[in-house]
Amino acid sequence: MTDTLLDRPVDTADAARTDFAAPYALTIGGQRVETNTTFDVFNPATNAVLAQAPDGTAEHMEAAIAAAKQAFPAWSALSWDERGDYIARYADALEAHREELITLLTLEQGKPRHSMATGEVDASIKWVRETATRRLPDEVVEDNADHIVLIERTPLGVVGAITPWNFPVLLGLWKIAPALISGNTMVMKPSPYTPLCTLRFGEIAQGIFPAGVLNIVSGGNALGQQLAEHPDIAKVSFTGSTATGRKVMASGAGTIKRVTLELGGNDAAIVLEGADWKPLVPTLFWAAFGNSGQWCIASKRLYVHRSIHADFVKAFVEYGRTKTVGDGMDAGTDLGPIQNRMQYDKLRDLFADTKANGYATPLGGTIDETLAGNFVPVTVVDNPPEDSRIVREEPFGPIVPIIAFDTIDEVVAKANDTQFGLAGSVWGPDRDAAIAVARRLETGTVWVNEIHIHGLEIPFGGHKQSGLGVENGAEGLAEFTNSKTLMFRK
Ligand code: NAD
């Protein structure tokens, strides 16, 4: 198998793709690898087959890991500046494919082309470009008359990256750029629901990076398990559900693998008494329903002080009525479809539960199952009980409960009463009082009077069962390295 891989020519200047159904290839050892079998990738707005993706086998995964292992010594021996030059060139190459990636993202994922897909691709390319400038210099922790102690950050080896289907471009590039700048090589496995943009990352990278530095293998879930178990994978950087995160941790235990797990969430947004709530209606609408609610850090429970609750619900519903759910390629679409049938069926079940329990749904509430695409209406559930499924579970769709509360102790207890601890937000007239509430939330991130701000220097990760470790910031970058203590006598 390895011989045939090496027979194939390297693409040096990948042309922007206009035919999205044309064959896609794995990237292994810097080369295109076509597979004997493929699987269907669907357009969620129509449920028509969009393209065939290569169905990588265990042998392909072995070859990819071997290629990454072979590439590691030379890549890790480069200076940070040299690796940064490669990554900056990769950002340029991605930029040259910007229009293509935006369209492909909408076609495979569903999010509106003119808003979320454009935003995701642009933010991701910027991220890669900025990551090219990041460094982790040695840190001197002791310097006395006798000796010096310093901490060096050394690369781990081959990083296995596993991504989900909600933000395949952003979450993929959040892993590729920091792993590579810090001297690791990588094998990435995208979600089988959204493999196409990631396959293009590999094809675009072929003309940029030395062979084997970045390998992409699409296929079934078993490939993820293979990565997580493999002795030549030093670390798994995983974004996905809490249930799969547990499996990744268990699979990695045999080889004491480093893992970073970015998992599910059930974020609370808390609107305190006296808040200037009218401007919060659109803000919290998009915080809940951006990407049609398929967002780990979507506001999934809105707790609104009882003095405001009724007015807030009314205005939120009115605002929601003006928004259009449709095909993400249409300029008039505000919210796209649910990305896949599995998630659509989960939502059907949750909607049925909401209906069966008689919870009030002043907006939406019924899925029109005669539509060809996976369209789910924007739905508000008014004041359901705390033990309802819509409050306890992560819906991952455009349905949100808006719950009245009376006291701060009560709302903090409710917000924290969950296995999740990803993020949350607090909104109030007195910034210090709102910060005091934020400090009591058991989550990795809390925003106060703002939401969904991310940045290269800002660590992001979950508490409790929302994850392990962080991405971004110096701390996130350091997770792609080992800490090595070096001491020498003066
Ligand atoms: P998922 O867990 O079903 O799949 C994620 C990835 O894991 C896919 O690539 C899948 O093929 C792979 N996989 C499946 N079984 C595996 C196994 N046994 N070993 C290794 N890999 C395996 O998640 P999803 O449905 O694609 O994504 C939605 C979930 O992701 C939601 O819970 C959401 O909250 C979470 N998410 C979290 C973040 C974050 O940063 N915290 C970001 C986005 C999404």
mmCIF file of all heavy atoms in Angstrom, residues 251 310 486:
data_model
loop_
_atom_site.group_PDB
_atom_site.id
_atom_site.type_symbol
_atom_site.label_atom_id
_atom_site.label_comp_id
_atom_site.label_asym_id
_atom_site.label_seq_id
_atom_site.Cartn_x
_atom_site.Cartn_y
_atom_site.Cartn_z
ATOM 1 N N SER A 251 -10.042 4.883 25.258
ATOM 2 C CA SER A 251 -9.178 4.301 24.216
ATOM 3 C C SER A 251 -7.729 4.749 24.397
ATOM 4 O O SER A 251 -6.804 4.002 24.098
ATOM 5 C CB SER A 251 -9.626 4.740 22.817
ATOM 6 O OG SER A 251 -10.935 4.330 22.566
ATOM 7 N N ALA A 310 -42.091 37.861 31.187
ATOM 8 C CA ALA A 310 -43.219 37.842 30.235
ATOM 9 C C ALA A 310 -42.950 38.776 29.054
ATOM 10 O O ALA A 310 -43.162 38.404 27.884
ATOM 11 C CB ALA A 310 -44.514 38.236 30.953
ATOM 12 N N LEU A 486 14.679 21.715 32.437
ATOM 13 C CA LEU A 486 16.105 21.642 32.110
ATOM 14 C C LEU A 486 16.858 22.465 33.160
ATOM 15 O O LEU A 486 16.542 23.631 33.366
ATOM 16 C CB LEU A 486 16.282 22.240 30.709
ATOM 17 C CG LEU A 486 17.614 22.135 30.013
ATOM 18 C CD1 LEU A 486 18.004 20.681 29.795
ATOM 19 C CD2 LEU A 486 17.514 22.842 28.661
#
